[in-house]
Structures are given as C-alpha cells and as structure tokens.
C-alpha cells in the first residue's frame, strides 16, 4: 500500500548562503494492507520528516514514494489532494483549523469531503468525540480554545473519521491519560483489522509493542557526514 | 477531466515594464488556487488580466464554457465576455464598494445580477436575495437597507452574495479578507470554505496573507517581479519552500 524506494530529502537554505542540508538518503520501506510499522530513532533522526515526505508536505529530492498507486514525489497537486481526501490520512501533532468552526464540524469535515451525508458525518464525529472523552458541551465550540490534550484528541477523532486505507500517525498517544490512550490504540487496531496500512511514531514503547508489527530505525537513512 | 481554466503564457506589459509574464497553469473544477507575493509582484495584474478587466498583451485564457466547451476568453467578443462575467464568472473585489452599487438596496444588489441573466419575476428575485442574505449571515430585515449603512465585513459578505447568486463556476477574489478585522475575517473564511465545498466552486484568490491561503487554497502560486517563481500544494510550498524568494516570504511571517 505504501512503498518507498531510495528516497532522499535535503533542504537548500537560499537565504543562508545557499547551504544544502541533506537530511535523508536511501530511504526504502514497504507497508502492506493491515500492517502497522513503527518508526524509531533518536529525536531529530528524521521520523517526522519521513512522514511529511510520504504525505507530500515535504518535496522528496529523489526516489519514489508510492501510496495506493500514486507517486507522491512526482504527482500533480490535484492528484495528491485526491489521495489525501480518499486514501491517505495523517494525524499530525498539531491541530490546524479555521477559527470559529465547531469541533463537531472539524471532525466531520473529512467525511463531508468524500461525500458522506452531513447527518451521517456528524453522527460518526459524535461517536468518535464521545469515545475520546470530549464532553458534549464542548462540541459546538471551536477547538482553538481547548487545552493541548483536548486538541490532540480532536485531531485524532478527525484523523480517524474517514476509513483511510493508509494512515500516518505522528505520536498519537503522546500526553494522553491511560483511558484515552487505550481508546486510541483500539482505533489503530480497528483500522488495521479493516486493512489499513499504517506508519506510526510512538515514543510510548508499550504502545509500540502493542500495535506495531515491526519497526524501522530511520537512523539508517541519515546521511553519513564526511568527517 | 477537462480543466475549467487553462492559462497559457499570459503576459501584460505596462509600457516597457512587466506587469506579469510567462504565466501558465491549469485549474480544475473544485480547485482553489492562491496567488501570493509582495505588493507590486504582479498578482493583481494577473488576476485582472485573467478576468478580462485588463487586456493581456500575449497569451490565452481558455475557459470551459457550458455551451461551447473550451473557448479563449481573450479573443472572445466583448458581449460574450461580459455575459460570462455575469454568469459563470464572479469577481470579488478587495474593497466591497468597488463590487457593489452603494445607492441600491442590499436586495437590489443581489437581484441585479439575477435580472442581468434574464430573471424578471419580482417575488422570485426577492426570495432568492433573502435566501442569500441568510447564507452570508446578514439579517433578512436589512434587505431594503443600502450597503452604505453596512459595516465593512457586512459589505464584503453582501458582495460575495451578489457574486454567487447566479451560481458561477469560477470566482476571482482580490484580497477578499484584506482590511477586515480578524474576527470578521475568520467568519468570512469559514463562509468561503463552505460555499466552495457545497457549490463545487473553483476559485483563484490573490492575497498577501499566507495564513489565509493556508486555510483556503489547495494550491499556491508564488509571484515575484511579474513572474511565477514557485507553484505546488499549498502546505508543501509553505512548509518546504524551494525558491529563495518563497523562503524569505515564509520566514518573514510574524508569529502570534
């Protein structure tokens, strides 16, 4: 479902004398439907960078990034947008929303985007929010005013609203209490059971053990600096 | 799928100076494209050249018309282009007073566009005007007030209603949230996003506000000195800018 072949990524800083910073080189990995892979490596090793390259948020310098038959490294913007709408979900560490939009609509939006009827979309959103212990009295408020933990749970609810065949999860269990953590792990297991290919970053080792089928250490993709 | 709009090598000169040049892109149905760049970068010139407000010196602006399929609007007859401007195209000006008739009631402003496309039934026109006032969150009781009695944010929403009432397929917007305070701006962004989704609109939005394009636009085009220096997915261009100028632009945004 997700397959990377020899992907590299570098940043060119034009305003700092054109410095080129290579951050990733020779990254190859594959994820089958129903499989969950954990990315490991020290902070700064490039776990999130790899995820952003797969999502098309960072432009790969070379290599192939195949997701559901689309090469994200080369696809036109509208093909990547269609891929993100239908196929590839991403739960980032930050919630970014239009101010003033109620939480319930924020969570329902990915479903509306794929043509689910508004009532059905809001029902699904309500189920997810309730499951993640966001009190119903907050659903009509914008999540911009919520606490960090609440925003993160809204972000997870939004990420799991549509049943994406491929998902990227950036620290989905960080800073959650035991009960919510269990709910998130259950959502991940349900997604695997319906055949989703998942790549996740988990600092929480127990969570990683529980849901990941194998791990990939991204330090292997860090360019070797010539001494 | 046929692109809704195909722009090919468009150029507009002001004497020897470049307004914009070598601009080419395709816009598909339902896509929202943002054009960013500092003042004087040619983004408004480009928008006005595409929308037929300025006559380009070179290039084609091919629109997929309902009746005849793709037609070059630059070489189209003036009446045909004006008809397009009243039906399938809409233009939202930065200053609402440029896009509204200030001496005509709010209802009249919306109704005028309907009459321009042949609607003659007064009751019908008034009902649709009232419906659109509701959609842009203006109280129906204000239907007979003139826009001069409206706040800036209300005028801007009225301008949007006037433009969208005929069900256009392509909307050109020039700094639609410029000059509005942030709470009004947020409301307008929400409104625009919902209208784009519900009506399947395509839109081209010129702005210098990167936060606005991040929320509204699927794709981004960055201009400098009349030329396109970078294009791509909005979040990719903003988070991983490739061109020196885009990097400068993105790193210059103040954090709140």
């Amino acid at each position: 479902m997700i397959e990377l072949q020899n992907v590299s990524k570098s940043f060119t800083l034009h305003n700092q004398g054109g410095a080129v910073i290579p951050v990733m080189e020779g990254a190859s990995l594959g994820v089958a439907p129903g499989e969950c892979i954990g990315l490991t490596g020290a902070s700064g090793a490039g776990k999130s960078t790899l995820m952003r390259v797969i999502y098309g948020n960072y432009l790969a310098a070379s290599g192939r990034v195949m997701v559901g038959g689309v090469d994200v490294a080369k696809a036109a913007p509208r093909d990547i947008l269609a891929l993100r709408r239908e196929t590839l979900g991403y739960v980032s560490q930050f919630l970014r929303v239009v101010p003033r939009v109620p939480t319930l609509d924020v969570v329902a939006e990915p479903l509306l985007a794929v043509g689910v009827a508004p009532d059905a979309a809001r029902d699904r959103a309500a189920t997810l929010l309730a499951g993640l212990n966001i009190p119903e009295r907050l659903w009509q408020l914008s999540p911009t005013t919520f606490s960090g933990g609440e925003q993160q749970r809204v972000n997870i609810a939004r990420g799991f609203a549509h049943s994406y065949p491929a998902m990227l999860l950036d620290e989905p269990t960080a800073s959650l209490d035991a009960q919510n953590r269990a709910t998130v792990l259950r959502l991940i297991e349900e997604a695997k059971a319906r055949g989703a290919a998942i790549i996740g970053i988990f600092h929480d080792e127990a969570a990683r053990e529980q849901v990941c089928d194998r791990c990939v250490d991204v330090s292997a993709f860090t360019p070797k600096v010539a001494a | 799928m046929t692109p809704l709009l195909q722009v090919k090598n468009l150029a507009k000169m002001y004497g020897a100076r470049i307004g914009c040049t070598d601009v080419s892109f395709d816009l598909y149905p339902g896509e929202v494209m943002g054009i960013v760049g500092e003042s004087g970068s040619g983004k408004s010139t480009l928008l006005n050249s595409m929308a037929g407000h300025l006559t380009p010196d070179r290039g084609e602006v091919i629109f997929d018309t309902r009746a005849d399929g793709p037609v070059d609007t630059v070489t189209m007859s003036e009446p045909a282009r004006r008809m397009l401007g009243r039906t399938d195209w809409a233009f939202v000006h930065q200053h609402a007073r440029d896009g509204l008739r200030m001496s005509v009631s709010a209802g009249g402003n919306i109704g005028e566009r309907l009459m321009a496309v042949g609607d003659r039934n007064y009751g019908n026109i008034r009902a649709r005007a009232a419906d659109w006032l509701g959609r842009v969150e203006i109280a129906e009781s204000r239907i007979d007030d003139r826009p001069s009695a409206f706040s800036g944010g209300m005028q801007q929403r009225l301008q949007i209603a006037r433009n969208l009432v005929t069900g256009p397929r392509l909307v050109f917007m020039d700094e639609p949230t410029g000059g509005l305070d942030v709470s009004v701006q947020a409301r307008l962004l929400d409104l625009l996003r919902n209208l784009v989704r519900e009506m399947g609109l395509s839109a081209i939005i010129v702005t210098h506000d990167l936060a606005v394009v991040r929320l509204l636009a699927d794709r981004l085009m960055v201009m400098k000195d009349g030329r396109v220096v970078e294009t791509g997915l909005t979040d990719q261009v903003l988070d991983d800018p490739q061109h020196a100028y885009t990097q400068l632009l993105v790193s210059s945004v103040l954090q709140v």
Side-chain angles (χ1 to χ4, degrees):
Chain A
M1 188 66 211
I2 303 176
E3 188 163 359
L4 275 68
Q5 290 170 0
N6 212 11
V7 176
S8 70
K9 171 68 197 156
S10 60
F11 292 103
T12 307
L13 306 177
H14 292 288
N15 299 306
Q16 288 169 36
V20 177
I21 304 177
V23 293
M24 199 166 72
E25 199 172 86
S28 299
L29 64 87
V31 193
E35 191 181 25
C36 177
I37 289 194
L39 299 181
T40 59
S43 186
K47 301 184 291 293
S48 294
T49 299
L50 182 62
M51 228 173 227
R52 284 169 169 241
V53 167
I54 299 172
Y55 197 59
N57 180 230
Y58 284 174
L59 204 62
S62 66
R64 276 154 60 91
V65 182
M66 302 300 295
V67 182
V70 176
D71 185 354
V72 176
K74 293 191 180 60
R78 68 188 202 99
D79 295 324
I80 298 181
L81 289 168
L83 184 77
R84 289 180 180 181
R85 195 163 51 236
E86 314 274 343
T87 312
L88 181 63
Y90 176 36
V91 177
S92 69
Q93 290 176 276
F94 309 99
L95 181 67
R96 190 171 249 145
V97 295
V98 181
R100 212 187 69 120
V101 177
T103 298
L104 194 65
D105 292 349
V106 167
V107 176
E109 197 186 8
L111 288 169
L112 297 177
V114 292
V116 174
D119 287 345
R122 291 204 180 90
D123 283 350
R124 167 83 179 141
T127 308
L128 282 161
L129 286 169
L132 287 160
N133 296 308
I134 303 286
E136 193 169 345
R137 63 193 155 79
L138 300 181
W139 294 358
Q140 291 307 320
L141 306 177
S142 164
T144 45
T145 55
F146 290 6
S147 74
E150 283 167 343
Q151 288 197 7
Q152 195 198 349
R153 281 179 275 145
V154 171
N155 208 14
I156 290 167
R158 181 182 158 91
F160 280 91
H162 172 53
S163 305
Y164 298 101
M167 295 189 81
L168 306 169
L169 309 174
D170 195 345
E171 297 253 31
T173 57
S175 72
L176 293 183
D177 60 37
Q179 195 193 351
N180 287 315
R181 177 176 167 279
T183 306
V184 173
L185 293 177
R186 202 189 66 237
L187 284 171
I188 297 173
E189 279 172 344
E190 284 170 5
K192 283 174 67 178
R194 64 169 165 75
I198 301 176
I199 296 182
I201 300 173
F202 300 92
H203 279 299
D204 171 356
E205 266 178 56
R208 198 194 304 151
E209 294 285 307
Q210 192 184 329
V211 296
C212 294
D213 300 297
R214 60 197 165 92
C215 289
V216 172
D217 186 347
V218 299
S219 334
F221 309 143
T222 308
K224 307 292 172 282
V225 182
Chain B
M1 197 197 293
T2 316
L4 186 65
L5 187 75
Q6 301 172 61
V7 174
K8 296 183 179 172
N9 290 314
L10 198 68
K12 170 70 188 169
M13 309 295 287
Y14 294 112
R17 277 187 304 118
I18 294 172
C20 63
T21 189
D22 299 330
V23 180
S24 299
F25 67 89
D26 290 346
L27 187 76
Y28 287 84
E31 267 186 339
V32 178
M33 189 174 84
I35 305 177
V36 298
E38 62 198 2
S39 338
S41 59
K43 51 195 198 305
S44 293
T45 297
L46 172 61
L47 192 74
N48 284 305
S49 302
M50 291 189 288
H53 298 171
L54 291 172
T55 308
D57 293 303
R58 276 195 307 279
E60 298 166 57
V61 179
I62 299 167
F63 182 72
D64 185 17
T65 58
R66 285 184 223 227
D68 307 318
V71 176
D72 183 4
T73 63
V74 176
T75 53
M76 186 182 253
S77 73
E78 183 63 25
R81 191 161 53 233
R82 288 178 72 99
M83 193 60 198
L84 203 56
R86 285 198 293 263
T87 53
D88 268 353
W89 285 8
F91 196 102
V92 176
H93 295 264
Q94 176 176 7
H95 302 290
R97 43 185 64 236
D98 295 337
L100 291 173
R101 298 234 282 162
M102 300 305 281
S103 56
V104 173
S105 71
N109 263 288
I110 301 176
E112 190 184 13
R113 232 179 111 103
L114 287 171
M115 288 193 281
V117 294
D119 210 328
R120 289 290 177 269
N121 181 312
Y122 177 80
N124 189 9
I125 292 173
R126 193 172 168 90
R128 286 186 64 189
D131 172 49
W132 267 95
L133 284 178
R135 287 212 222 179
V136 297
E137 304 175 29
I138 295 174
E140 204 185 314
S141 60
R142 305 295 301 267
I143 192 166
D144 294 317
D145 292 351
R146 291 181 182 182
S148 49
F150 286 3
S151 69
M154 281 168 76
Q155 287 179 1
Q156 194 58 294
R157 295 203 298 276
L158 178 62
Q159 192 195 180
I160 288 168
R162 172 183 161 97
N163 270 286
L164 297 187
V165 67
T166 50
R169 291 189 295 153
L170 176 61
V171 187
F172 299 99
M173 298 192 212
D174 191 2
E175 301 275 5
T177 59
L180 300 176
D181 64 58
V182 286
S183 59
V184 177
Q185 182 176 317
R187 202 162 162 183
L188 199 65
L189 286 175
D190 182 26
L191 173 73
L192 287 173
R193 268 169 65 106
N194 286 330
L195 290 174
V196 165
R197 189 178 60 216
E198 285 162 16
M199 301 175 69
L201 292 177
S202 299
I204 300 178
I205 302 175
V206 161
T207 179
H208 60 259
D209 189 331
L210 298 183
V212 166
V213 285
R214 192 187 272 278
L215 292 174
L216 277 184
D218 306 314
R219 289 165 56 189
L220 202 57
M221 193 154 98
V222 184
M223 294 192 70
K224 179 170 168 52
D225 300 332
R227 292 169 197 275
V228 176
V229 296
E230 184 163 356
T231 61
L233 270 179
T234 302
D235 59 298
Q236 184 256 302
V237 173
L238 295 179
D239 292 339
D240 186 15
Q242 307 291 310
H243 189 275
Y245 174 67
T246 318
Q247 292 185 355
L248 184 68
L249 197 69
V250 170
S251 64
S252 304
V253 175
L254 302 175
Q255 301 283 325
V256 179

